[in-house]
mmCIF file of all heavy atoms in Angstrom:
data_model
loop_
_atom_site.group_PDB
_atom_site.id
_atom_site.type_symbol
_atom_site.label_atom_id
_atom_site.label_comp_id
_atom_site.label_asym_id
_atom_site.label_seq_id
_atom_site.Cartn_x
_atom_site.Cartn_y
_atom_site.Cartn_z
ATOM 1 N N ASP A 13 16.952 -0.307 101.847
ATOM 2 C CA ASP A 13 16.985 -0.139 100.405
ATOM 3 C C ASP A 13 17.252 -1.450 99.704
ATOM 4 O O ASP A 13 16.653 -1.731 98.663
ATOM 5 C CB ASP A 13 18.093 0.898 100.025
ATOM 6 C CG ASP A 13 17.732 2.305 100.395
ATOM 7 O OD1 ASP A 13 16.539 2.595 100.709
ATOM 8 O OD2 ASP A 13 18.655 3.155 100.419
ATOM 9 N N ALA A 14 18.166 -2.243 100.243
ATOM 10 C CA ALA A 14 18.497 -3.532 99.625
ATOM 11 C C ALA A 14 17.281 -4.477 99.694
ATOM 12 O O ALA A 14 16.971 -5.159 98.717
ATOM 13 C CB ALA A 14 19.694 -4.169 100.344
ATOM 14 N N LEU A 15 16.576 -4.498 100.822
ATOM 15 C CA LEU A 15 15.394 -5.375 100.952
ATOM 16 C C LEU A 15 14.333 -5.037 99.919
ATOM 17 O O LEU A 15 13.690 -5.942 99.405
ATOM 18 C CB LEU A 15 14.830 -5.314 102.370
ATOM 19 C CG LEU A 15 15.643 -5.993 103.484
ATOM 20 C CD1 LEU A 15 15.030 -5.709 104.825
ATOM 21 C CD2 LEU A 15 15.791 -7.470 103.232
ATOM 22 N N GLU A 16 14.188 -3.775 99.600
ATOM 23 C CA GLU A 16 13.173 -3.368 98.625
ATOM 24 C C GLU A 16 13.499 -3.924 97.215
ATOM 25 O O GLU A 16 12.611 -4.047 96.382
ATOM 26 C CB GLU A 16 13.089 -1.861 98.543
ATOM 27 C CG GLU A 16 12.433 -1.215 99.731
ATOM 28 C CD GLU A 16 12.434 0.290 99.643
ATOM 29 O OE1 GLU A 16 12.801 0.881 98.596
ATOM 30 O OE2 GLU A 16 12.006 0.929 100.650
ATOM 31 N N GLN A 17 14.753 -4.263 96.945
ATOM 32 C CA GLN A 17 15.179 -4.761 95.619
ATOM 33 C C GLN A 17 15.191 -6.265 95.518
ATOM 34 O O GLN A 17 15.422 -6.785 94.431
ATOM 35 C CB GLN A 17 16.569 -4.192 95.327
ATOM 36 C CG GLN A 17 16.627 -2.684 95.266
ATOM 37 C CD GLN A 17 18.032 -2.219 94.978
ATOM 38 O OE1 GLN A 17 18.663 -2.660 94.010
ATOM 39 N NE2 GLN A 17 18.544 -1.367 95.848
ATOM 40 N N VAL A 18 15.012 -6.978 96.600
ATOM 41 C CA VAL A 18 15.119 -8.468 96.573
ATOM 42 C C VAL A 18 14.013 -9.045 95.704
ATOM 43 O O VAL A 18 12.844 -8.681 95.802
ATOM 44 C CB VAL A 18 15.022 -9.022 97.993
ATOM 45 C CG1 VAL A 18 14.893 -10.541 97.990
ATOM 46 C CG2 VAL A 18 16.241 -8.597 98.831
ATOM 47 N N THR A 19 14.425 -9.974 94.820
ATOM 48 C CA THR A 19 13.461 -10.699 93.967
ATOM 49 C C THR A 19 13.542 -12.192 94.154
ATOM 50 O O THR A 19 12.642 -12.892 93.770
ATOM 51 C CB THR A 19 13.722 -10.372 92.481
ATOM 52 O OG1 THR A 19 15.054 -10.692 92.165
ATOM 53 C CG2 THR A 19 13.417 -8.907 92.205
ATOM 54 N N ARG A 20 14.645 -12.685 94.699
ATOM 55 C CA ARG A 20 14.764 -14.143 94.938
ATOM 56 C C ARG A 20 15.824 -14.374 96.008
ATOM 57 O O ARG A 20 16.499 -13.465 96.461
ATOM 58 C CB ARG A 20 15.080 -14.883 93.664
ATOM 59 C CG ARG A 20 16.414 -14.585 93.058
ATOM 60 C CD ARG A 20 16.596 -15.281 91.699
ATOM 61 N NE ARG A 20 17.948 -15.105 91.182
ATOM 62 C CZ ARG A 20 18.973 -15.906 91.414
ATOM 63 N NH1 ARG A 20 18.788 -16.983 92.167
ATOM 64 N NH2 ARG A 20 20.124 -15.671 90.900
ATOM 65 N N PHE A 21 15.942 -15.638 96.370
ATOM 66 C CA PHE A 21 16.934 -16.029 97.382
ATOM 67 C C PHE A 21 17.572 -17.333 96.997
ATOM 68 O O PHE A 21 17.083 -18.089 96.136
ATOM 69 C CB PHE A 21 16.290 -16.131 98.766
ATOM 70 C CG PHE A 21 15.392 -17.376 98.927
ATOM 71 C CD1 PHE A 21 15.912 -18.507 99.507
ATOM 72 C CD2 PHE A 21 14.096 -17.334 98.513
ATOM 73 C CE1 PHE A 21 15.113 -19.616 99.644
ATOM 74 C CE2 PHE A 21 13.271 -18.447 98.631
ATOM 75 C CZ PHE A 21 13.800 -19.582 99.187
ATOM 76 N N ASP A 22 18.668 -17.663 97.625
ATOM 77 C CA ASP A 22 19.333 -18.941 97.490
ATOM 78 C C ASP A 22 19.983 -19.263 98.830
ATOM 79 O O ASP A 22 20.242 -18.380 99.621
ATOM 80 C CB ASP A 22 20.413 -18.861 96.384
ATOM 81 C CG ASP A 22 20.858 -20.227 95.876
ATOM 82 O OD1 ASP A 22 20.304 -21.258 96.348
ATOM 83 O OD2 ASP A 22 21.730 -20.260 94.992
ATOM 84 N N VAL A 23 20.259 -20.540 99.063
ATOM 85 C CA VAL A 23 20.957 -20.979 100.248
ATOM 86 C C VAL A 23 22.145 -21.795 99.771
ATOM 87 O O VAL A 23 22.015 -22.741 99.002
ATOM 88 C CB VAL A 23 20.057 -21.848 101.162
ATOM 89 C CG1 VAL A 23 20.809 -22.352 102.380
ATOM 90 C CG2 VAL A 23 18.798 -21.062 101.590
ATOM 91 N N THR A 24 23.339 -21.396 100.193
ATOM 92 C CA THR A 24 24.554 -22.078 99.755
ATOM 93 C C THR A 24 24.729 -23.387 100.519
ATOM 94 O O THR A 24 24.004 -23.678 101.470
ATOM 95 C CB THR A 24 25.781 -21.173 100.000
ATOM 96 O OG1 THR A 24 25.964 -20.993 101.424
ATOM 97 C CG2 THR A 24 25.646 -19.842 99.308
ATOM 98 N N GLU A 25 25.741 -24.154 100.099
ATOM 99 C CA GLU A 25 26.007 -25.455 100.756
ATOM 100 C C GLU A 25 26.305 -25.291 102.243
ATOM 101 O O GLU A 25 26.004 -26.179 103.027
ATOM 102 C CB GLU A 25 27.190 -26.153 100.068
ATOM 103 C CG GLU A 25 26.794 -26.710 98.718
ATOM 104 C CD GLU A 25 27.970 -27.469 98.108
ATOM 105 O OE1 GLU A 25 28.880 -27.933 98.815
ATOM 106 O OE2 GLU A 25 27.932 -27.633 96.871
ATOM 107 N N ASP A 26 26.948 -24.171 102.627
ATOM 108 C CA ASP A 26 27.260 -23.992 104.059
ATOM 109 C C ASP A 26 26.142 -23.339 104.838
ATOM 110 O O ASP A 26 26.295 -22.992 106.024
ATOM 111 C CB ASP A 26 28.559 -23.194 104.221
ATOM 112 C CG ASP A 26 28.444 -21.749 103.797
ATOM 113 O OD1 ASP A 26 27.380 -21.304 103.331
ATOM 114 O OD2 ASP A 26 29.439 -20.988 103.988
ATOM 115 N N GLY A 27 24.955 -23.170 104.202
ATOM 116 C CA GLY A 27 23.780 -22.629 104.915
ATOM 117 C C GLY A 27 23.656 -21.118 104.859
ATOM 118 O O GLY A 27 22.765 -20.565 105.516
ATOM 119 N N THR A 28 24.491 -20.422 104.116
ATOM 120 C CA THR A 28 24.396 -18.969 104.002
ATOM 121 C C THR A 28 23.188 -18.617 103.152
ATOM 122 O O THR A 28 22.966 -19.162 102.076
ATOM 123 C CB THR A 28 25.658 -18.406 103.325
ATOM 124 O OG1 THR A 28 26.797 -18.736 104.139
ATOM 125 C CG2 THR A 28 25.567 -16.900 103.195
ATOM 126 N N LEU A 29 22.352 -17.703 103.670
ATOM 127 C CA LEU A 29 21.216 -17.216 102.948
ATOM 128 C C LEU A 29 21.639 -16.049 102.078
ATOM 129 O O LEU A 29 22.231 -15.081 102.585
ATOM 130 C CB LEU A 29 20.110 -16.748 103.932
ATOM 131 C CG LEU A 29 18.904 -16.022 103.323
ATOM 132 C CD1 LEU A 29 18.134 -16.955 102.424
ATOM 133 C CD2 LEU A 29 18.033 -15.453 104.436
ATOM 134 N N LEU A 30 21.345 -16.106 100.805
ATOM 135 C CA LEU A 30 21.674 -15.022 99.861
ATOM 136 C C LEU A 30 20.358 -14.383 99.407
ATOM 137 O O LEU A 30 19.500 -15.080 98.909
ATOM 138 C CB LEU A 30 22.425 -15.564 98.662
ATOM 139 C CG LEU A 30 23.713 -16.363 98.920
ATOM 140 C CD1 LEU A 30 24.259 -16.892 97.607
ATOM 141 C CD2 LEU A 30 24.738 -15.499 99.663
ATOM 142 N N LEU A 31 20.231 -13.084 99.580
ATOM 143 C CA LEU A 31 19.083 -12.343 99.062
ATOM 144 C C LEU A 31 19.584 -11.657 97.794
ATOM 145 O O LEU A 31 20.529 -10.882 97.848
ATOM 146 C CB LEU A 31 18.574 -11.347 100.100
ATOM 147 C CG LEU A 31 18.025 -11.993 101.385
ATOM 148 C CD1 LEU A 31 17.512 -10.906 102.332
ATOM 149 C CD2 LEU A 31 16.947 -13.013 101.109
ATOM 150 N N ILE A 32 18.903 -11.925 96.682
ATOM 151 C CA ILE A 32 19.381 -11.514 95.366
ATOM 152 C C ILE A 32 18.352 -10.623 94.702
ATOM 153 O O ILE A 32 17.168 -10.810 94.841
ATOM 154 C CB ILE A 32 19.591 -12.820 94.514
ATOM 155 C CG1 ILE A 32 20.575 -13.719 95.253
ATOM 156 C CG2 ILE A 32 20.057 -12.460 93.103
ATOM 157 C CD1 ILE A 32 20.610 -15.143 94.734
ATOM 158 N N GLY A 33 18.840 -9.654 93.922
ATOM 159 C CA GLY A 33 17.924 -8.764 93.182
ATOM 160 C C GLY A 33 18.610 -7.627 92.552
ATOM 161 O O GLY A 33 19.812 -7.692 92.242
ATOM 162 N N GLY A 34 17.881 -6.537 92.391
ATOM 163 C CA GLY A 34 18.422 -5.358 91.702
ATOM 164 C C GLY A 34 18.455 -5.599 90.220
ATOM 165 O O GLY A 34 18.127 -6.666 89.723
ATOM 166 N N GLU A 35 18.850 -4.583 89.484
ATOM 167 C CA GLU A 35 18.878 -4.695 88.021
ATOM 168 C C GLU A 35 19.849 -5.762 87.541
ATOM 169 O O GLU A 35 19.596 -6.414 86.511
ATOM 170 C CB GLU A 35 19.252 -3.339 87.444
ATOM 171 C CG GLU A 35 18.164 -2.295 87.606
ATOM 172 C CD GLU A 35 18.518 -0.970 86.963
ATOM 173 O OE1 GLU A 35 19.420 -0.946 86.089
ATOM 174 O OE2 GLU A 35 17.933 0.046 87.370
ATOM 175 N N SER A 36 20.941 -5.954 88.241
ATOM 176 C CA SER A 36 21.946 -6.906 87.782
ATOM 177 C C SER A 36 21.763 -8.336 88.330
ATOM 178 O O SER A 36 22.480 -9.222 87.955
ATOM 179 C CB SER A 36 23.341 -6.404 88.176
ATOM 180 O OG SER A 36 23.465 -6.362 89.584
ATOM 181 N N GLY A 37 20.775 -8.511 89.211
ATOM 182 C CA GLY A 37 20.569 -9.815 89.811
ATOM 183 C C GLY A 37 21.693 -10.237 90.746
ATOM 184 O O GLY A 37 22.034 -11.407 90.858
ATOM 185 N N ALA A 38 22.287 -9.260 91.372
ATOM 186 C CA ALA A 38 23.446 -9.477 92.272
ATOM 187 C C ALA A 38 22.981 -9.853 93.690
ATOM 188 O O ALA A 38 21.853 -9.644 94.062
ATOM 189 C CB ALA A 38 24.285 -8.221 92.343
ATOM 190 N N VAL A 39 23.905 -10.445 94.438
ATOM 191 C CA VAL A 39 23.654 -10.716 95.852
ATOM 192 C C VAL A 39 23.628 -9.374 96.578
ATOM 193 O O VAL A 39 24.588 -8.590 96.537
ATOM 194 C CB VAL A 39 24.752 -11.625 96.437
ATOM 195 C CG1 VAL A 39 24.564 -11.749 97.936
ATOM 196 C CG2 VAL A 39 24.725 -12.992 95.783
#
């Protein structure tokens, strides 16, 4: 369900991959 809502991504300084999306643009 979460993957279906992903619209963008980011990578933090420590290398963590963040998949972001949903109506609120949350992680």
